[in-house]
Amino acid sequence: MLKLSPSLLLLLSLTAGAAESPETSVKIPEEESQQQYDNGSVSNQAEEVQRSLGRDTELFFRQCYINVPPQVKDPNPLPIEQQPINIEAVKLYGSPNQLTYEEDVNLTQGDKNLSADKLTYYIEQEKVVAQGNVNFHNGQVTLYADSIERQLKTNETSLYQTEYQFHGRSGRGDADRVYDNGQNLYQLKRASYSACPPEDNTWSIASTTLYIDNE
């Protein structure tokens, strides 16, 4: 059962009486009315200024690109050709000119990581060819491919049947071939590109040849 205190009953009777009395009205002084109008104008102006400044792009990115890996700079100060290479695998076959790794292959060099089913390292050419379920990533991009060729001296890389996602910003798609010149310029053949968040295909472009210049 709902119980009302005496003070609450008194308040209810007063408000009821005020509502029934035709002479009861509230008049807002002209100065106060003008002040409320001015405050509304100030509020509208503040909203217009906020809109003119634009949205917080960093907050927007964190909300809409939550599944995009962050961009991370390579902490290693050494040039790529001076960074040591570490390769792990279940099986290893060797000859004077090349080494072949198989099963759960994982190569690391600085902030770069390459995994695949099979990897062949050509010693004299300092070239790596990886095949089968290839996954390459560093602090700038993640790529999945059927196969990949990488020149360890120049950092030039070619990937075939590739899906890619840039880190810390928009940019994703696929391509029959992706060529990275090692200097932040990508050439994609028969490729698609979209700046939409992952799993959002509101718009994309397709091209026979597509260039992405990170600089």
Side-chain angles (χ1 to χ4, degrees):
M1 178 182 293
L2 179 62
K3 295 183 179 180
L4 300 179
S5 64
S7 59
L8 183 57
L9 289 171
L10 177 61
L11 178 62
L12 290 174
S13 62
L14 289 175
T15 54
E20 293 173 359
S21 176
E23 298 178 356
T24 304
S25 63
V26 178
K27 294 185 179 180
I28 301 176
E30 184 176 349
E31 295 80 1
E32 186 177 347
S33 177
Q34 182 64 34
Q35 184 179 2
Q36 291 179 356
Y37 175 78
D38 292 341
N39 289 340
S41 299
V42 171
S43 177
N44 291 337
Q45 291 174 2
E47 292 177 0
E48 291 178 2
V49 170
Q50 182 63 35
R51 283 195 295 268
S52 66
L53 293 175
R55 62 188 173 189
D56 184 344
T57 54
E58 186 176 342
L59 176 62
F60 168 76
F61 188 90
R62 290 198 305 269
Q63 291 176 335
C64 296
Y65 292 82
I66 189 172
N67 295 321
V68 175
Q71 190 177 70
V72 180
K73 292 185 178 180
D74 187 355
N76 197 325
L78 295 175
I80 184 65
E81 64 272 10
Q82 297 180 18
Q83 296 180 16
I85 300 169
N86 182 64
I87 303 176
E88 298 177 352
V90 176
K91 298 179 181 179
L92 169 62
Y93 307 93
S95 68
N97 296 324
Q98 69 184 51
L99 298 171
T100 301
Y101 301 81
E102 291 184 353
E103 297 183 24
D104 296 329
V105 182
N106 190 68
L107 180 150
T108 57
Q109 184 183 26
D111 69 335
K112 299 167 181 61
N113 180 272
L114 172 67
S115 61
D117 295 334
K118 179 180 178 181
L119 184 145
T120 304
Y121 175 40
Y122 298 90
I123 300 173
E124 293 183 358
Q125 303 175 38
E126 293 194 38
K127 181 178 75 171
V128 171
V129 177
Q131 297 171 302
N133 298 310
V134 178
N135 179 3
F136 171 81
H137 65 85
N138 56 16
Q140 309 298 317
V141 66
T142 293
L143 306 109
Y144 299 94
D146 287 349
S147 62
I148 179 175
E149 298 178 8
R150 184 173 182 84
Q151 294 287 345
L152 299 178
K153 273 189 175 182
T154 62
N155 219 19
E156 293 177 271
T157 306
S158 292
L159 303 99
Y160 302 91
Q161 304 302 320
T162 304
E163 295 181 4
Y164 64 92
Q165 170 70 68
F166 288 105
H167 293 189
R169 63 186 180 89
S170 59
R172 63 180 178 84
D174 55 58
D176 285 359
R177 179 179 181 266
V178 175
Y179 170 69
D180 174 8
N181 72 345
Q183 299 178 7
N184 279 328
L185 179 65
Y186 297 87
Q187 181 193 66
L188 294 79
K189 292 290 187 180
R190 288 179 291 280
S192 69
Y193 174 88
S194 176
C196 297
E199 300 182 4
D200 178 357
N201 297 315
T202 301
W203 73 265
S204 66
I205 60 175
S207 176
T208 302
T209 304
L210 178 68
Y211 293 92
I212 301 176
D213 188 346
N214 280 340
E215 292 296 329

